[in-house]
């Protein structure tokens, strides 16, 4: 048994798309803008693979409220600096109508290597994600929690979905981002490992073969961070609304504490076969929260609002201990006002009903995303 209780600190990374304020199409981020962002935010901001993206990351926060304050500052600063260049940031996982063929990748060694190694797959990566780090300092405990947590990844994905469009068309999926991302190698659900040593041996085998340089090229939905003593959830789309992002992050943090507490009580969450979890992952990717997920205990599809209530009830004592119960209960607001994917589809169809062509309807979606980026800041 681990004597040291994990810190359960939290950190959030978000990737933003940058659009021209007039045309609403993606633009390559000017060097001057990136330099201004770095001057203002230091290491909390960086360029991403494509020049139309900006990545931000909070510091280490003890509570979800602290993380919210940090992330709000990052969003405010990025928006202010973008606006000075006639640009707008979007916290969304796919742009509603942009053409990936027209984008340019950032001229850095890491990204040149990615473009060379992954070829056309990399050039199509016009997607953004949200990553949530939770502090778990013990190596073997990180792996133990990594093995149990995947059951909940489809729930988190369903709540976060924000990528229903691709190149101006409704895809029929609520998270098309995952369809694009899954074309990369070393993605999807993480395998189960008996120990941290086994995990390291597996990663090192691939590194020794010179297929990858380091563990940062392993892009599972959930992974032990190679830079921090954290477990990193990578399943989620980016949430345009700040409070929704924080609710999902707080829920992630609380689930980890619940799983740790079960271990302290000599219990554990049942580990289901990857095949089963992948089915729920697909359902979340396809339908978001609309069609429910399979409850493997009873072998039936259960409506997502019921599953969410049950999950919040389970983690409530842990959320209270972490000081984030209000943030966790914020997931009910997601169910009430819809995920971003649902809101985007509604905005698109409403514009069409009022006589807009597809192109103008897609622009209406972008306008709504610009507004939502600043909501709650």
């Amino acid at each position: 048994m681990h004597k040291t209780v994990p810190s359960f600190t939290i950190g959030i990374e978000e990737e933003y798309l940058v659009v021209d304020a007039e045309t609403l199409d993606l633009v390559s981020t000017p060097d001057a803008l990136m330099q201004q962002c770095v001057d203002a935010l230091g290491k909390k901001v960086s360029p991403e693979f494509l020049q139309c993206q900006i990545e931000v990351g909070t510091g280490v926060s003890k509570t979800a409220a602290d993380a919210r304050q940090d992330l709000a500052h990052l969003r405010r600063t990025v928006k202010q600096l973008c606006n000075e260049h006639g640009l707008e940031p979007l916290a969304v996982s796919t742009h509603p109508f942009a053409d990936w063929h027209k984008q340019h990748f950032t001229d850095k060694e890491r990204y040149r290597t990615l473009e060379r190694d992954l070829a056309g797959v990399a050039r199509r990566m016009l997607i953004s994600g949200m990553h949530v780090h939770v502090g778990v300092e013990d190596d073997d405990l990180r792996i133990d929690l990594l093995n149990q947590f995947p059951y909940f990844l489809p729930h988190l994905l369903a709540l976060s979905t924000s990528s229903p469009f691709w190149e101006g068309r409704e895809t029929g999926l609520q998270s098309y981002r995952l369809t694009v991302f899954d074309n990369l190698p070393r993605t999807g659900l993480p395998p189960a490992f008996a120990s941290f040593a086994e995990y390291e041996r597996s990663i090192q085998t691939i590194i020794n073969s010179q297929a990858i340089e380091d563990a940062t090229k392993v892009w599972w939905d959930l992974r032990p961070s190679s830079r921090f003593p954290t477990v990193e959830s990578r399943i989620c789309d980016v949430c345009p609304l700040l409070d929704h992002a924080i609710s999902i992050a707080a829920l992630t943090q609380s689930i980890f504490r619940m799983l740790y507490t079960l271990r302290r009580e000599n219990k554990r969450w049942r580990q289901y076969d990857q095949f089963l979890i992948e089915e729920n992952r697909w359902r979340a990717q396809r339908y978001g929260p609309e069609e429910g997920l399979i409850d493997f205990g009873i072998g039936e599809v259960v409506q997502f609002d019921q599953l969410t209530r049950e999950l919040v009830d389970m983690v409530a004592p842990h959320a209270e201990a972490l000081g984030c119960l209000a943030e966790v209960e914020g997931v009910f607001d997601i169910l009430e006002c819809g995920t971003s994917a649902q809101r985007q589809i509604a905005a698109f169809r409403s514009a069409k009903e009022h006589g807009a062509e597809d192109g103008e309807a897609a622009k209406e979606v972008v306008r709504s995303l610009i507004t939502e980026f600043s909501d709650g800041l």
Side-chain angles (χ1 to χ4, degrees):
M1 184 62 63
H2 302 275
K3 296 180 181 178
T4 304
V5 177
S7 64
F8 298 114
T9 52
I10 189 171
I12 302 170
E13 298 169 357
E14 290 186 324
E15 297 160 346
Y16 305 141
L17 297 172
V18 180
V19 301
D20 182 277
E22 296 296 325
T23 68
L24 305 178
D25 202 352
L26 290 175
V27 296
S28 293
T29 306
D31 290 340
L33 170 58
M34 274 310 308
Q35 188 57 54
Q36 286 176 305
C37 287
V38 171
D39 290 344
L41 300 171
K43 293 182 179 179
K44 290 185 176 182
V45 65
S46 62
E48 248 299 328
F49 177 69
L50 293 175
Q51 291 181 11
C52 58
Q53 292 175 299
I54 295 177
E55 180 178 1
V56 301
T58 68
V60 179
S61 300
K62 288 187 176 180
T63 67
D66 292 341
R68 187 193 190 284
Q69 186 175 11
D70 197 349
L71 192 57
H73 171 65
L74 293 172
R75 284 197 180 201
R76 276 195 306 270
T77 304
V78 169
K79 180 175 176 62
Q80 175 191 336
L81 295 175
C82 280
N83 289 169
E84 291 176 8
H85 292 263
L87 307 174
E88 292 284 358
L90 307 180
V92 67
S93 281
T94 56
H95 187 281
F97 64 84
D99 184 347
W100 64 269
H101 295 87
K102 298 178 180 178
Q103 308 311 314
H104 305 285
F105 69 89
T106 301
D107 190 18
K108 289 177 64 176
E109 179 58 33
R110 173 178 172 82
Y111 300 131
R112 284 195 296 270
T113 302
L114 272 178
E115 202 269 346
R116 184 182 66 244
D117 290 349
L118 301 176
V121 173
R123 290 190 285 273
R124 193 164 164 261
M125 294 294 290
L126 186 53
I127 56 175
S128 298
M130 177 179 78
H131 305 162
V132 179
H133 291 258
V134 177
V136 180
E137 287 70 22
D138 183 272
D139 289 344
D140 282 326
L141 180 58
R142 275 204 300 282
I143 294 301
D144 186 57
L145 299 182
L146 181 87
N147 290 339
Q148 297 179 68
F149 193 91
Y151 178 88
F152 302 99
L153 290 171
H155 302 69
L156 299 173
L157 173 63
L159 288 165
S160 72
T161 47
S162 72
S163 49
F165 293 98
W166 186 253
E167 296 186 333
R169 295 184 296 275
E170 263 191 72
T171 64
L173 278 70
Q174 307 253 328
S175 177
Y176 192 75
R177 159 189 156 263
L178 219 56
T179 303
V180 177
F181 195 70
D182 283 348
N183 284 312
L184 293 179
R186 302 176 296 279
T187 54
L189 296 173
F193 296 100
S195 65
F196 188 76
E198 183 187 357
Y199 160 75
E200 284 197 311
R201 283 194 300 273
S202 297
I203 300 296
Q204 198 60 47
T205 298
I206 304 177
I207 293 173
N208 290 346
S209 74
Q210 300 186 334
I212 59 174
E213 306 92 77
D214 54 53
T216 64
K217 298 290 181 66
V218 176
W219 298 301
W220 299 324
D221 296 338
L222 185 75
R223 70 181 184 185
S225 172
S226 62
R227 297 181 295 158
F228 311 110
T230 64
V231 186
E232 179 187 8
S233 171
R234 303 166 49 83
I235 188 77
C236 290
D237 279 6
V238 190
C239 296
L241 294 172
L242 173 66
D243 283 332
H244 288 180
I246 297 301
S247 287
I248 292 169
L251 180 58
T252 303
Q253 182 190 29
S254 301
I255 293 170
F256 273 113
R257 190 182 187 279
M258 177 188 72
L259 295 176
Y260 169 74
T261 303
L262 285 174
R263 180 189 173 93
R264 288 289 297 253
E265 296 170 352
N266 290 318
K267 304 172 186 174
R268 63 185 295 109
W269 195 262
R270 180 174 173 181
Q271 284 179 237
Y272 290 94
D273 189 272
Q274 270 203 9
F275 170 73
L276 296 177
I277 298 174
E278 283 172 352
E279 187 64 24
N280 269 347
R281 183 182 188 268
W282 162 248
R283 293 185 66 83
Q285 180 181 349
R286 169 70 174 85
Y287 304 112
E290 291 177 359
E291 296 294 330
L293 300 176
I294 304 169
D295 183 322
F296 302 130
I298 62 175
E300 295 176 4
V301 172
V302 176
Q303 291 303 303
F304 193 77
D305 58 348
Q306 179 182 334
L307 291 174
T308 304
R309 284 195 302 272
E310 291 173 357
L311 179 56
V312 170
D313 285 346
M314 277 195 302
V315 304
H318 309 282
E320 197 161 6
L322 293 166
C324 64
L325 182 57
E327 287 84 356
V328 167
E329 290 177 341
V331 299
F332 295 127
D333 184 65
I334 300 176
L335 299 181
E336 186 174 337
C337 72
T339 65
S340 172
Q342 292 172 311
R343 297 194 306 277
Q344 288 180 55
I345 291 168
F348 182 83
R349 292 178 179 175
S350 175
K352 292 272 289 180
E353 288 170 5
H354 287 83
E357 298 293 330
D358 282 1
E360 185 53 41
K363 287 186 176 183
E364 278 302 308
V365 177
V366 177
R367 292 185 185 102
S368 70
L369 292 168
I370 290 172
T371 300
E372 288 189 354
F373 186 92
S374 300
D375 192 278
L377 299 187

